[in-house]
Amino acid sequence: MRRMQIKTKVTLWYSIFMVALMILMFLILIYFSESLLMSGQKTQLSEVVEDQIEDLMEEDEEEEFHFYEEGVYFLLYSSNGEYERGQIPKGFDEKLPLQEGIVQKQEGTSYYYYDRFLINENGKEIWLRGVSSNVGMQSYNLILLNTFFIIIPILVVISCIVGYGITKRAFLPIRRIQETAEKIIASKELSTRIALPEGKDEISKLGQTFDHMLDILEQNFAKEKQFTSDASHELRTPITVIMTESEFALKHADTMEEMKESMEVVKRQADKMSGLLQHLLFLARADAGTQKIQPVLVNVTELTKEMANELVSCARKRNMTITFTQKEQEDVWMMLDQMLYMRAVENLIQNAISYGKESDDIHVEIQREDGGMVVSVTDHGIGISKENLPKIWDRFFQVDEARSKENGSMGLGLSMVKWIVESHGGEIMVESKEQEGSKFSLRFPKR
Ligand code: ADP
């Protein structure tokens, strides 16, 4: 049974159920029709006998009396129960004791009999017995049995065939799901879809869920591929520079000065690689769930001010200023991972410096909100177009690659910031207009 296909199992089960149901129906039918027919026959017997009584009441009529009428045999007995005359059906025992007004059955035969005691017009006492056979009922039962053994098997076979067809049709979508999965395994290609016709039944929903799962898997694999190729691309550039520069230094650097210059280039590229590897390591740990956050009670006001001050010299290179504001007088204290918070805010300020306009004022602000806080960094620089806005969280995405490369950026900062704030249960928000500027806000909820 376990090895059978589900459709065979379903057909088998309901065929067994159908046969059982039909047998039950047949038995019920026989039982009720038998008792119905029997009571019908008994009533008919007593009625025919009662009709004949009137004829017998007159003495003359007794001579012309018909001993077989409407399927009933009549027998006459004397007042002391002695059989006198009549028509005895074959196999009927005429000596059976007389009993007034009750329909009885002769055991072992199909005969019913009904007795009546009467006194005719001349005062003569007579017993009248009517006998009828239930042969009709036996033939009725025979017809029923024939029906059962001929029609029922035909019905069962038809229902099995039709049922198997219906079940097979109902299981077609499952077959399609299985075929799609096999195709994906064979081709290692996630673009195949089951694409069942729209429907609200369970199997259609299963197909839609399966397709949706494939969409997500395909997207994630594509992202993963893109990430690996972007990471190798980012690493290849500094490695190439390091190799050519060191080759040049070995072959052509004659003076100490030239050697130093080459070493500086090598160092810059090695720093770049180290930075990239640090970022990659962070993201890999974040993905694997091994990058833990260690919240401690932090004076966020103090810490953010320090961060802004540290980056002032950096901003000055582009003639920029950084201002810090906070409405509330008292310092804001929060449970945060200090290192990660610093990394997130530093990234936002660095971006504001890189993508803000010359002589701009970068505004860093802290606001309390529902027991938590929001820290925002605003610049008035190049801004981000609506079209690019959803992509800035993607790893290695840069609106203007050339400009970003100039700053040594790699397009990993925002995805890191997003992870940091989300791992604190918060969210990152951005409002930006092209050529007008951007405002990045990090909302940290109460912990
Ligand atoms: P990057 O290291 O290149 O700055 P990020 O992940 O921090 O990478 O940012 C992704 C991209 O989002 C940047 O390359 C830049 O195009 C855009 N971006 C980020 N911050 C700003 C900003 N303040 N103003 C304009 N564009 C920005």
Side-chain angles (χ1 to χ4, degrees):
M1 190 82 169
R2 275 190 191 166
R3 287 193 188 161
M4 268 186 204
Q5 287 187 334
I6 296 182
K7 53 188 180 226
T8 321
K9 270 191 218 173
V10 172
T11 316
L12 200 71
W13 276 117
Y14 88 68
S15 301
I16 292 172
F17 176 72
M18 282 263 303
V19 172
L21 199 71
M22 281 177 184
I23 292 175
L24 188 74
M25 268 173 57
F26 178 74
L27 292 177
I28 292 173
L29 192 70
I30 286 193
Y31 176 78
F32 280 109
S33 60
E34 203 170 79
S35 50
L36 255 169
L37 279 173
M38 227 148 72
S39 72
Q41 193 184 1
K42 281 180 187 172
T43 325
Q44 199 207 358
L45 173 65
S46 56
E47 274 172 13
V48 175
V49 172
E50 293 298 335
D51 281 350
Q52 296 303 306
I53 289 175
E54 280 165 31
D55 295 348
L56 272 178
M57 294 306 268
E58 298 151 27
E59 211 208 352
D60 304 342
E61 290 296 322
E62 202 183 309
E63 299 307 314
E64 292 158 25
F65 189 73
H66 298 289
F67 289 101
Y68 182 78
E69 201 75 45
E70 295 177 51
V72 179
Y73 301 88
F74 290 99
L75 288 78
L76 289 175
Y77 293 78
S78 65
S79 59
N80 57 4
E82 289 274 317
Y83 170 71
E84 283 182 347
R85 57 203 174 95
Q87 194 166 346
I88 305 170
K90 204 175 164 198
F92 183 74
D93 179 9
E94 76 279 8
K95 290 192 190 73
L96 285 167
L98 293 152
Q99 222 171 345
E100 164 74 3
I102 304 171
V103 177
Q104 295 179 87
K105 191 171 190 281
Q106 182 185 351
E107 285 307 314
T109 65
S110 57
Y111 292 119
Y112 283 97
Y113 57 96
Y114 179 72
D115 306 324
R116 285 283 276 127
F117 178 74
L118 41 120
I119 305 167
N120 72 6
E121 282 178 348
N122 299 327
K124 188 183 173 193
E125 294 176 343
I126 329 163
W127 276 95
L128 172 68
R129 167 170 280 177
V131 182
S132 75
S133 154
N134 65 355
V135 179
M137 200 165 79
Q138 279 175 344
S139 63
Y140 173 77
N141 280 348
L142 213 69
I143 295 170
L144 264 186
L145 266 176
N146 282 343
T147 316
F148 182 76
F149 284 111
I150 299 166
I151 296 184
I152 300 285
I154 295 174
L155 280 180
V156 169
V157 170
I158 292 175
S159 81
C160 281
I161 295 170
V162 174
Y164 185 78
I166 293 171
T167 324
K168 201 174 158 186
R169 251 186 93 86
F171 276 88
L172 262 183
I174 300 251
R175 173 114 203 95
R176 226 155 104 181
I177 294 174
Q178 187 202 344
E179 279 169 2
T180 311
E182 280 168 357
K183 232 189 235 173
I184 291 172
I185 294 169
S187 64
K188 295 185 177 62
E189 188 50 66
L190 280 173
S191 59
T192 318
R193 294 289 177 275
I194 304 161
L196 289 180
E198 283 278 313
K200 285 196 171 152
D201 57 295
E202 293 83 345
I203 297 182
S204 303
K205 279 195 182 147
L206 175 71
Q208 284 158 21
T209 316
F210 202 88
D211 279 348
H212 185 54
M213 183 187 76
L214 286 172
D215 286 343
I216 293 173
L217 278 178
E218 195 183 12
Q219 277 167 23
N220 283 353
F221 271 111
K223 267 190 189 169
E224 206 74 24
K225 255 190 197 168
Q226 188 63 40
F227 180 71
T228 322
S229 104
D230 287 343
S232 357
H233 177 77
E234 290 295 328
L235 282 169
R236 207 174 50 211
T237 322
I239 287 175
T240 318
V241 178
I242 288 172
M243 279 170 68
T244 45
E245 196 62 39
S246 44
E247 236 171 88
F248 169 81
L250 283 172
K251 282 187 187 158
H252 308 289
D254 300 327
T255 62
M256 197 59 181
E257 202 60 28
E258 281 174 343
M259 202 62 154
K260 254 187 174 175
E261 265 175 35
S262 293
M263 287 318 282
E264 267 164 23
V265 174
V266 169
K267 165 101 178 41
R268 254 202 319 276
Q269 295 301 323
D271 282 348
K272 199 175 168 190
M273 273 173 72
S274 154
L276 176 63
L277 285 175
Q278 260 181 30
H279 277 110
L280 288 178
L281 216 63
F282 179 90
L283 289 170
R285 277 201 299 261
D287 285 347
T290 51
Q291 175 68 51
K292 296 275 177 280
I293 60 161
Q294 287 160 341
V296 285
L297 197 59
V298 176
N299 183 338
V300 186
T301 312
E302 213 31 70
L303 194 65
T304 316
K305 261 191 221 168
E306 264 174 42
M307 295 288 314
N309 282 338
E310 266 176 39
L311 291 163
V312 163
S313 57
C314 199
R316 218 171 272 148
K317 284 183 195 158
R318 295 197 67 210
N319 253 342
M320 287 172 160
T321 51
I322 303 177
T323 48
F324 173 82
T325 58
Q326 184 186 304
K327 268 190 204 151
E328 293 87 6
Q329 292 283 304
E330 310 101 66
D331 288 355
V332 176
W333 288 80
M334 289 281 297
M335 285 293 287
L336 294 168
D337 184 310
Q338 188 166 328
M339 286 300 295
L340 295 182
Y341 174 77
M342 279 162 62
R343 217 186 253 197
V345 176
E346 187 189 343
N347 247 291
L348 294 186
I349 301 178
Q350 286 281 15
N351 276 354
I353 296 172
S354 304
Y355 307 108
K357 65 171 188 281
E358 295 261 342
S359 323
D360 191 11
D361 178 51
I362 295 163
H363 185 206
V364 181
E365 190 186 10
I366 287 185
Q367 263 184 309
R368 280 186 187 279
E369 196 189 84
D370 303 330
M373 65 125 190
V374 177
V375 54
S376 55
V377 178
T378 312
D379 67 67
H380 307 90
I382 58 170
I384 306 159
S385 69
K386 257 193 185 159
E387 177 201 347
N388 284 326
L389 216 48
K391 301 182 198 158
I392 57 172
W393 320 110
D394 292 348
R395 293 170 189 184
F396 292 108
F397 176 79
Q398 294 172 318
V399 176
D400 180 353
E401 255 186 67
R403 179 172 180 158
S404 299
K405 289 262 162 7
E406 262 174 43
N407 312 319
S409 316
M410 289 159 293
L412 292 174
L414 285 179
S415 48
M416 238 168 52
V417 177
K418 189 169 185 281
W419 184 87
I420 291 170
V421 67
E422 283 175 358
S423 66
H424 281 82
E427 57 175 335
I428 184 166
M429 295 157 295
V430 58
E431 295 161 43
S432 188
K433 254 192 179 169
E434 242 180 329
Q435 303 312 327
E436 282 187 25
S438 317
K439 179 178 178 180
F440 282 86
S441 309
L442 308 180
R443 175 180 287 136
F444 288 93
K446 186 182 175 184
R447 280 173 80 91

